Amino acid sequence: MQSITTVAFIGLGVMGYPMAGHLAKQGLTTRVYNRTQSKAEAWAKAFGGTAHTTPAEAAKGADLVLVCVGNDDDVRQVTTGSDGVLTTMASGSYLVDHTTASADLALELNTACREQGVAFIDAPVSGGQQGAENGALTIMCGGEQAHFDAVAPLLNHYARAVTLMGPASSGQLTKMVNQICIAGLVQGLAEGLHFAEQAGLDQHQVIDVISKGAAGSWQMENRHKTMIANEYNHGFAVDWMRKDLGICLEQARRLNATLPVTALVDQFYADVQRMEGGRWDTSSLLKRLRKPE
Ligand SMILES: NC(=O)c1ccc[n+]([C@@H]2O[C@H](COP(=O)([O-])OP(=O)(O)OC[C@H]3O[C@@H](n4cnc5c(N)ncnc54)[C@H](OP(=O)(O)O)[C@@H]3O)[C@@H](O)[C@H]2O)c1
């Protein structure tokens, strides 16, 4: 496989925009594509890379192509689609998918890549918009050890931890565990804050006390202030969480794993979507409890 000096980044959303920025800041030649072209042009202006009009064009000559779009079908469009990156990627190059997608998609892409001598790593991330901006993401990878060893130093430019979990699709399966753990936890935090409010307690003081004990969590630490203020503008959208929980529940069905709380919280997020909160962040479960009868 080849050494990595030129990279292409496909998908400059909440996550991709700052992630690609970290690579450009390291002096790598960075070529970008975004479906909404104006975002790619703004990115190129801000970071000094080049904006391209198709994924295929952006990937031309790149040693490493990184993708961070929405769901399985979006990934297919920008990779194996008619203008996808695999139409121009050379044998010996690397494809890393940061999208949170299904394990099946990872296996499908792994096969498509292998057929043309491209190394594939599924590499979903955790840590949110803040993590992407501060270069402090957690990245869970699936793929071959040698391929992982080649790309991990690059991924480290925007991560605090990059870990190979096993063969292709292991990254996506690990991310599913992450989302399963978060779903019930955020609902618990929303219920606790709702209860404190109804009881007339000072919610800030309550969190100050209990966060130091067994109830403490990253979500409590990083989300309680905005939840109390009824603000839900952190990057990770409810629409994405529903997509993720759908993937988890489908995988669980096939694995014969039982996820009753995850299934319930998924329905609570459907309520939030009906409140037109699809782009609110996932802590908006509290708004659902607060909504007038
Ligand atoms: N935000 C978070 O906190 C977070 C945390 C962990 C994981 N993730 C995951 O990371 C991925 C990206 O999330 P995000 O928050 O960055 O999403 P986002 O802000 O909605 O951005 C999505 C990006 O994908 C592009 N895209 C979507 N469908 C496409 C298609 N069919 N063809 C080409 N481009 C397409 C969008 O282009 P346009 O600009 O044209 O819309 C945009 O650049 C998702 O899988 C999400 O689940 C997000």
Side-chain angles (χ1 to χ4, degrees), residues 172-191:
Q172 295 297 356
L173 290 167
T174 305
K175 174 73 183 185
M176 291 176 211
V177 179
N178 187 77
Q179 301 307 74
I180 292 163
C181 292
I182 286 178
L185 197 150
V186 177
Q187 176 64 15
L189 177 59
E191 290 185 15

Side-chain angles (χ1 to χ4, degrees), residues 14-15 34-36 39 69-70 74 77 100 236 240 243:
V14 166
M15 300 300 280
N34 194 71
R35 180 178 55 182
T36 307
K39 268 197 226 170
V69 291
D74 301 331
Q77 263 182 33
T100 305
F236 190 58
W240 286 152
K243 178 253 307 176

Side-chain angles (χ1 to χ4, degrees), residues 10-17 33-37 39 55 68-71 73-75 77-78 98-101 124-129 137 175 179 234-237 240-241 243-244 279:
I10 312 300
L12 303 171
V14 166
M15 300 300 280
Y17 193 98
Y33 164 80
N34 194 71
R35 180 178 55 182
T36 307
Q37 181 69 15
K39 268 197 226 170
C68 190
V69 291
N71 60 26
D73 284 341
D74 301 331
V75 176
Q77 263 182 33
V78 301
H98 285 309
T99 311
T100 305
V125 306
S126 167
Q129 181 174 6
L137 294 171
K175 174 73 183 185
Q179 301 307 74
H234 294 286
F236 190 58
W240 286 152
M241 188 58 162
K243 178 253 307 176
D244 292 1
R279 286 303 287 188

Side-chain angles (χ1 to χ4, degrees), residues 107-126:
L107 295 172
E108 181 185 313
L109 274 184
N110 189 49
T111 303
C113 284
R114 194 185 302 133
E115 279 166 7
Q116 58 184 86
V118 171
F120 175 73
I121 303 273
D122 53 295
V125 306
S126 167

Side-chain angles (χ1 to χ4, degrees), residues 216-237:
S217 68
W218 185 98
Q219 295 287 340
M220 184 178 280
E221 184 85 14
N222 291 283
R223 293 290 178 265
H224 77 275
K225 284 194 188 123
T226 42
M227 289 171 82
I228 292 168
N230 224 19
E231 291 167 7
Y232 306 104
N233 302 319
H234 294 286
F236 190 58

